[in-house]
Amino acid sequence: MGQFVKVGTVADFEDVEGGKLVDAGGRSLAVFRVGTNYYAIDNTCTHRGGPLAEGTLVGEEVICPWHGAHFNVKTGAVCAPPAREGVKSFAVRVNGNDLEVAII
């Protein structure tokens, strides 16, 4: 596992519907809250580069706003085309009131 980097506070994500774009160690990530758990994946869709943080969250899947590819926010795996390749997922932890993402 990599080094954890603070990307915000738990309060920053309380009213977020869908994803939130964060910068973690110079990397553009989409962070999602599903219930009481947080997940982070690369923000860039592997199909045509759409911004996944702007996608619609349905259960544990985010739908790319550009062409509709579905990705699992827990694993980064592709769940529906047109994307053929998944995105990288990152470990997330709550440390006190801070939300941290592991960067490799």
Side-chain angles (χ1 to χ4, degrees), residues 3 18 31 33-34 39 48 52-53 57-58 60-61 63 66 72 74 77-78 85 92 96 101-102:
Q3 172 186 0
V31 176
R33 183 176 58 122
V34 178
Y39 303 98
R48 298 271 179 174
L52 296 178
L57 183 64
V58 179
E60 296 177 356
E61 293 182 11
I63 303 169
W66 286 7
N72 183 294
K74 289 183 172 182
V78 172
E85 199 175 311
V92 179
V101 176

Side-chain angles (χ1 to χ4, degrees), residues 5 7 19-32 39-46 49-54 87-90 101-103:
V5 177
V7 295
K20 182 171 180 163
L21 177 64
V22 300
D23 177 13
R27 198 171 191 137
S28 179
L29 302 181
V31 176
F32 300 89
Y39 303 98
I41 58 175
D42 270 327
N43 186 50
T44 306
C45 177
T46 56
L52 296 178
E54 296 177 18
V87 295
K88 186 164 179 56
S89 64
F90 299 84
V101 176
I103 301 300

